[in-house]
Amino acid sequence: MAEAFPVKPKLRPTSSKLTPTPEAKYWRSFKIPKDIETTPSKSFTFPINSIAFSPVAPHDFVATHSASVSIFSGKTLEPKPTISSFSDTAAAVSFRCDGKLLAAGDLTGTVHVFDAKSRSHLRRLKGHAAAVRSVSYPRAADKLHLFSGGDDSVVKYWDVTTEKCVFNLLGHKDYVRCGDTSPISDEMFVSGSYDHRVRVWDVRVSNASSVMELNHEKPVESVLYLPSGGLIATAGGNFVKIWDVIGGGKLLYSMESHIKTVTALCMGKVARGSGEEAEENRILSVALDGYMKVFDYAKLKITHSMRFPEPLLSVGFSPDCSTRVIGTSKGNLYIGRRKAKVETEEVGGGLQWKIVEDDPGRKVLRPSYFRYFQRGQNLKPSEGDYLIKRRKKVKMAEFDKLLKKFRHREALVAALNRRNPESVVAVMEELVARKKLMKCVSNLDTEELGLLLAFLQKYSTMPRYAGLLTRLANKVVELRAEDIKSSDQLRIYVRNLKRDVEEEIRTQQSLLEIQGIISPMLRIAARR
Amino acid sequence: MLTGGKSFVSSPPAFSNDAKRLLVCTGNTVSVFSTSTGLQTCELEGHEAQVTSVIVVPATNPASKFLCYCWTASLDGKIMYWDFAAPELMKTIDIRFPIHSMVIPSLLHQRIDSTGKLPDLYAYICTEDAKQEGKPSSFGIQKCNLTKSRLVGGVTLAETQKPGHVTISPSGRYIGTCEKRKLRIWEIPAKDSEHVSYKKIRLHHTRSITTMAFHPNERVVAAGDVTGRILLWRGVGREAFSNTKSSNGRLNKDGEDRPGVRDGDDADSCTTWHWHSSQVNVLFFSSDGAYLYSGGREGVLVVWQLDTGKKKFLPRIGSPLLYFINSPDPTLSSISCADNQIQLLRMPSMEILRSISGIKLPSSHMDMYEGFGSVVVFNPTAGLIAVPAENYRVQFYSLFDDREISQVQICERNHQPGDEITVKVNLVALSRDGSTMCTVETRLPEEGIGGLVTLKFWACGSQKKQISLSTVIYEPHRDAEISCIAFRPTGNMAVSSSYGGDFKVWVRRHELTPKDETVQRSGWTCHAVGSYKKKPMSTAAFSSDGSVLAVAADKVITLWDPDRNTLLAVIGDSLEPITNLTFVGKSEYLVSASASASRGSKDSNPQLTVWSMSKLSATWSYRLDTKAITCSMGDSTFAVLACCKPKGSAEESLQCAEEMILLFNVEKAAPLSVWFVSKAQGGGLSFVSSDEDKVSATKAADEVLAYINGAREYVLLNPHCEQETKLNISRQRGFANLDETDTHGYASVYGALPEFSLKTDQTPFPSMSSGKTWKDIFSGPPHTLGPLRNLCSDFLESLLERRSGVVE
């Protein structure tokens, strides 16, 4: 027994790019919010050297550019007043673990400590002989100390309250341009230098030489402790390397997909649904080639890459996975924010929920409620249940129903009214297969003919449909010449059609000319 | 020698008395199918020509319900009497004239006369007279005494130019036949003997009548004509067939209340129903006479309520209907369809229970268009053939088992049987390992608009049943028709050649799906395009190691490197365009066949040539019109299906072009063996390895030659020992046994009752099994149920638990 097939349009080639992975969707969902001003207004004209997020909610973030540090609200993304008490370009910035203090290094070699809220200048740590390009507060719990690295190739460990340098960590032979503190220990610090070396320091064990030395083989632009504390990512040249620190500094992987120098790294997270387990860590890297790449270091694979029109210098990702900020060398700040589905609950939220659940006022469903009739509809079948599927109702388009009844002209008109060119062409092809298209065309009344001519005018020069529609347009004009002459409206359609066809012919001719120019060249190229 | 691929629908089938078996005329044999499983249970072999009628001896009383006797008649002029349960031949009557149709009226109202012995049994047969010189053969309805095994002389009821189907009324009182625009009806006397006179009438119509049917208990005759009208005469033969009320009839004739009856026909009234749009093939009255079933080219079974003319439909059967018969079991009937399928219906609700399908027959429309050739494709390793059917499907048919394996819908389009075919699957190709299928479907343009050629690649699963669409390519060679598709034997490459002057090489590429990395997606992409002097490419072939691709460009053969797409050599210059190319096994020879492009031309120079690849020159050639070539996979033999017209003018007048299969070895020009065949037009030929397990190591010894003719009948030959006519293939004909255990009545709904040990009831009840469950009695609309009186007893009977024996 034969089943009924609906009329389907021709298949179109699909490329894998058209179906984004869930991960790509996630990274694309960081969009410039509409309620704040657009990116050009975030332009500071000077390169944005560094971006840092506050570790506590609402995760304010700062960006350094020329001699000032801009603070942005993590909630509204509005800029707060800037700190501009620098005498030279600010180069590095870091929040304390409680988010209350902010440290920034500048090119004079001074590290400034500010109150993040009041922006009052608290401390000046002087000691570096050259520009400070790296400042890091310990990430775990220590609120009193600070690491900094400078172009004098020295890494300093500061006691902030007394403005004194506790240790000078020596060992690098060139500019120290980057550093990161360990996420699990307050005493561990990693620094990267232009002497191609990455050094891991532990202020407990030794204060003079490094615990470990890694060779990145290119000037190191950025280092990053991964959240486990056992892995380090280093960026320099056009590659990013992942090292196993616990395993004795073994190189795990070298990611070489950037074209130009990688300038900054930061941790990103992919939040799938809710809950901690659903989050997966990624390394975000930005480079001078304008690409931001997302690297999954568990699978050692690039999962997403995104292009920006300018060389990128710095990147930041908020710990609550809602905001992604990228700074460029031309001073543009690309702020991307993901639309949060559920607003993060307040601290007391859990308590309130509990009260709601314990509410005894839940009533028994009675037939007087509408919900009574919906009860059990969302019930999921349990393991042993035998499922009886309801037969799916076959939805048929109107033209399908009419075609089934052999009402061909009406089917064509119904398809034309739906304004979906693919289905119109599919119906026409089906009519051709039934040898009824010409009859349909000759039976159309003036209004319906207008509909058909408007369709032909719009689509007959589209390459995908041209094969059928140009010939059909010819036939229609031939068959219905009398009717077209007698109606002004139809004459307008035909005039438009003529214009479109002439334009298409011109395009084709110029394309032919181009082909004529190219083909001898191709011949020559193929011969070599 | 093994034959198969028979038509199930050449003649109407017949149900056995218990409705558990269906007897189907299949070529020279009668096949018995089980109605509960749809599988063949046994075969009656004995006739030497096509069996045209099968009549089951009906049960006269309930006790004889299990008797399995039948009469068969065949074109070889024999009438045979069988016990089909055994199966066993019991009697043969040779009347020496081809029998086209047979009815035995006396079976239906057989009465033991007063003397206590059975009267003679008479059959009415439509026979063909012996052909006389220069005269077309004539056909007549004759009478045959089956008891005495002889033809009754001098009784010829009708003579016609065409063989007619004799129709019998369910009561056995009337027989009739339709002849052009009239119906002829005879009354069979209740006591039939050799010399009786027959009362006969004629009913006239203005169009050619195609089929007729008798009402079971009234004098109502229905007839269908070529335009789709159904005529219903009531009160037929009131004058001629009734002896007593002649005066009444006269009154009627004089009066004017005989609407619709044509020029003095003997009927009270004639009504016309018109629903069918084309020829009516099936007419059948239901057993209670309340309904009339009709069907035709549209593939819709229509049920007419006789009194009101209201209709009910069973649509989408998918093929023109040919016969409808009902079984002794009122819940079961069958429809024979033109696509070689028999559908079993559950009756009042008209659901299709199951279908018995044979090999798809070629459509009569298929050879209407040039390039629409529908060739059967062989899968040599699995012993399968792929047959394109009319309803955009490809049927896979097992040669060794002689049954359908599966069907694949190639083009998702609704098929209206009887319509002009404008979309057709016209090329099918299978890769050698059977993992890939390639199909080409063509949509014909309407006034030059909207023609479309679509090339589709399919991936076949391991089970041969899961076939999924892999790649669709629209207009692969612009709007030119594809002439041939060939797969590379070593895999993952195919070539399609077109009449538009180019060929394309397709390769399979794998890619990972973005979502799930474990699932591989494979698609076919174009690897290379080649053409030679813009000549139409008619056929292509790969060498057995896949290193050389031979493409026939009009009259020459071009040899290509398929990987790098470079022209290696051009050989040959035949007189006619080349139609067929094959590399012979693993040898260095290539066989080409060329035929005249226009079939009608007188001075055609068909040629069969064997080329040596090492010398790039012809080795030997024949002037032979070749239809198909196949080569053995193992050794260097090949077989051709050829048609050779005799030279002599005297023989030509007989118009018997000899069609034959020739087996050659490439080394020698003399054929190894020759078989003569018939109906070779549209036929196919292939070597098939007989042992499915030895796919990898196909030795020449297990290869058999399969030949299928234009009517889709096939034969398997052993090419190596011609003396031995029997093929030593053990045919695994899985004759299913008939045993089925059905629970009836109460037990079918609630399960078996627990056994009670009642001591009181000791008397055994003689119980008679009724085939009906109470569900069946009440299924269907209330007006189909029948009188309450009958129903009540049936219902009660079905509710009672049937006992198989005495409860201890």
Side-chain angles (χ1 to χ4, degrees), chain B residues 618-676:
Chain B
T619 313
W620 52 267
S621 72
Y622 266 105
R623 186 177 159 165
L624 206 59
D625 190 4
T626 309
K627 298 271 195 299
I629 307 177
T630 179
C631 70
S632 149
M633 275 169 285
D635 57 9
S636 55
T637 54
F638 68 94
V640 296
L641 175 63
C643 167
C644 75
K645 288 196 178 104
K647 277 255 165 183
S649 59
E651 284 165 323
E652 250 178 19
S653 65
L654 286 173
Q655 294 179 338
C656 58
E658 285 184 325
E659 289 161 329
M660 57 181 113
I661 300 170
L662 301 152
L663 185 72
F664 290 101
N665 193 327
V666 277
E667 315 282 342
K668 285 173 283 181
L672 297 174
S673 41
V674 179
W675 295 271
F676 288 95

Side-chain angles (χ1 to χ4, degrees), chain B residues 9 14 46 54 99 161 204-205 232 250 259 355 393 423 441 461 544 560 618 627 642 664 671 680 700 709 742 752:
Chain B
V9 294
V54 53
I99 304 165
Q161 305 302 319
H204 295 84
H205 182 44
L232 208 67
R250 292 248 177 269
S355 50
R393 281 166 176 259
V423 181
E441 69 203 46
S544 62
W560 302 77
K627 298 271 195 299
F664 290 101
N709 70 9
D742 251 355

Side-chain angles (χ1 to χ4, degrees), chain A residues 1-5 8 10-11 19 301 404 429-430 432-438 468 471-472 475, chain B residues 315-316 352 393 409 412-414 416 422-423 443-450 452 472 474 514 517:
Chain A
M1 192 141 163
E3 60 261 70
F5 296 107
K8 274 188 216 152
K10 278 190 204 170
L11 297 173
T19 52
K301 250 177 85 175
K404 218 176 138 190
E429 284 175 342
E430 174 63 26
V432 166
R434 297 184 184 191
K435 298 220 177 218
K436 291 289 185 295
L437 184 59
M438 287 304 117
L468 175 71
R471 288 180 201 163
L472 178 66
K475 282 274 177 191
Chain B
R316 297 185 185 285
I352 293 180
R393 281 166 176 259
Q409 183 86 35
E412 292 203 337
R413 193 166 175 265
N414 297 322
Q416 269 98 34
T422 52
V423 181
R443 186 174 67 214
L444 291 181
E446 180 193 4
E447 296 186 25
I449 299 178
L452 181 73
V472 181
Y474 297 108
E517 281 87 358

Side-chain angles (χ1 to χ4, degrees), chain B residues 132-152:
Chain B
Q132 290 158 355
E133 286 298 322
K135 263 176 81 178
S137 55
S138 65
F139 301 88
I141 297 178
Q142 292 186 315
K143 190 174 176 183
C144 176
N145 189 333
L146 295 177
T147 317
K148 290 181 182 149
S149 308
R150 62 170 189 195
L151 221 53
V152 177

Side-chain angles (χ1 to χ4, degrees), chain B residues 421-695:
Chain B
I421 292 179
T422 52
V423 181
K424 202 183 150 294
V425 178
N426 54 341
L427 265 181
V428 180
L430 289 166
S431 67
R432 179 153 281 196
D433 55 351
S435 66
T436 315
M437 178 171 75
C438 183
T439 61
V440 177
E441 69 203 46
T442 310
R443 186 174 67 214
L444 291 181
E446 180 193 4
E447 296 186 25
I449 299 178
L452 181 73
V453 180
T454 312
L455 180 69
K456 284 179 179 170
F457 286 96
W458 303 76
C460 307
S462 52
Q463 291 300 307
K464 298 273 187 308
K465 292 206 171 178
Q466 322 139 330
I467 294 183
S468 56
L469 185 58
S470 157
T471 311
V472 181
I473 299 144
Y474 297 108
E475 301 190 323
H477 295 273
R478 301 228 172 74
D479 46 359
E481 293 254 2
I482 294 178
S483 57
C484 176
I485 296 165
F487 278 97
R488 195 181 193 175
T490 49
N492 283 352
M493 188 182 273
V495 63
S496 64
S497 62
S498 87
Y499 295 115
D502 60 345
F503 70 89
K504 285 190 177 178
V505 178
W506 307 90
V507 291
R508 176 155 56 184
R509 297 246 162 83
H510 294 282
E511 65 181 50
L512 296 172
T513 50
K515 276 177 194 157
D516 188 6
E517 281 87 358
T518 54
V519 177
Q520 266 200 337
R521 213 164 48 170
S522 70
W524 289 79
T525 50
C526 185
H527 170 68
V529 186
S531 66
Y532 182 74
K533 293 185 180 171
K534 300 268 178 227
K535 284 181 178 173
M537 305 282 196
S538 52
T539 180
F542 277 102
S543 68
S544 62
D545 59 348
S547 61
V548 179
L549 168 67
V551 183
D554 203 14
K555 292 171 186 174
V556 297
I557 303 166
T558 55
L559 300 173
W560 302 77
D561 179 346
D563 291 313
R564 279 176 289 164
N565 197 35
T566 47
L567 183 63
L568 301 174
V570 179
I571 53 171
D573 196 6
S574 62
L575 296 163
E576 303 285 346
I578 291 164
T579 54
N580 220 323
L581 271 183
T582 313
F583 280 92
V584 179
K586 294 191 169 66
S587 66
E588 45 159 29
Y589 292 96
L590 172 70
V591 186
S592 76
S594 59
S596 49
S598 55
R599 294 192 185 279
S601 68
K602 276 273 175 190
D603 49 344
S604 66
N605 288 301
Q607 207 170 17
L608 175 78
T609 317
V610 175
W611 306 87
S612 165
M613 284 294 100
S614 53
K615 294 175 200 152
L616 291 178
S617 63
T619 313
W620 52 267
S621 72
Y622 266 105
R623 186 177 159 165
L624 206 59
D625 190 4
T626 309
K627 298 271 195 299
I629 307 177
T630 179
C631 70
S632 149
M633 275 169 285
D635 57 9
S636 55
T637 54
F638 68 94
V640 296
L641 175 63
C643 167
C644 75
K645 288 196 178 104
K647 277 255 165 183
S649 59
E651 284 165 323
E652 250 178 19
S653 65
L654 286 173
Q655 294 179 338
C656 58
E658 285 184 325
E659 289 161 329
M660 57 181 113
I661 300 170
L662 301 152
L663 185 72
F664 290 101
N665 193 327
V666 277
E667 315 282 342
K668 285 173 283 181
L672 297 174
S673 41
V674 179
W675 295 271
F676 288 95
V677 294
S678 60
K679 288 190 274 187
Q681 189 66 46
L685 191 68
S686 176
F687 277 99
V688 173
S689 74
S690 59
D691 201 346
E692 267 190 65
D693 303 329
K694 292 182 198 165
V695 175

Side-chain angles (χ1 to χ4, degrees), chain A residues 224-411:
Chain A
L224 183 69
Y225 249 114
L226 301 185
S228 64
L231 298 178
I232 291 176
T234 60
N238 57 356
F239 49 86
V240 176
K241 288 186 170 176
I242 315 275
W243 307 85
D244 183 1
V245 187
I246 296 170
K250 194 170 62 174
L251 176 64
L252 292 182
Y253 189 74
S254 175
M255 174 196 111
E256 303 175 15
S257 71
H258 282 289
I259 303 160
K260 290 185 183 172
T261 307
V262 183
T263 49
L265 296 176
C266 93
M267 282 314 297
K269 278 182 201 160
V270 176
R272 297 182 203 274
S274 57
E276 285 291 314
E277 318 84 47
E279 288 187 351
E280 286 179 32
N281 288 316
R282 300 281 187 270
I283 297 171
L284 308 186
S285 63
V286 293
L288 294 179
D289 57 6
Y291 274 98
M292 181 198 78
K293 306 245 173 189
V294 181
F295 181 71
D296 180 358
Y297 61 89
K299 288 178 185 155
L300 302 177
K301 250 177 85 175
I302 302 266
T303 52
H304 186 65
S305 91
M306 212 166 181
R307 190 174 145 65
F308 291 88
E310 291 162 27
L312 309 179
L313 287 186
S314 51
V315 62
F317 192 80
S318 79
D320 63 352
C321 305
S322 66
T323 318
R324 187 255 306 128
V325 184
I326 291 173
T328 70
S329 65
K330 292 193 178 149
N332 280 334
L333 197 60
Y334 289 97
I335 305 174
R337 162 149 278 198
R338 207 159 75 93
K339 236 180 226 167
K341 272 177 196 146
V342 192
E343 283 300 315
T344 46
E345 296 139 26
E346 295 301 310
V347 185
L351 204 69
Q352 283 172 356
W353 276 110
K354 212 168 184 182
I355 293 164
V356 172
E357 277 176 353
D358 287 348
D359 188 16
R362 264 186 93 168
K363 285 167 188 166
V364 185
L365 288 174
R366 287 203 210 96
S368 55
Y369 298 154
F370 178 60
R371 274 179 56 207
Y372 175 83
F373 297 100
Q374 292 182 316
R375 71 198 192 285
Q377 282 185 0
N378 298 327
L379 201 69
K380 294 275 180 298
S382 61
E383 191 87 345
D385 286 355
Y386 181 72
L387 219 65
I388 297 169
K389 288 230 170 77
R390 186 178 289 179
R391 188 176 287 176
K392 249 189 188 167
K393 200 182 168 190
V394 183
K395 269 197 180 170
M396 286 182 109
E398 201 193 343
F399 54 79
D400 269 328
K401 285 180 198 156
L402 291 166
L403 280 175
K404 218 176 138 190
K405 292 174 187 160
F406 304 97
R407 285 154 70 176
H408 297 127
R409 182 183 61 89
E410 287 155 69

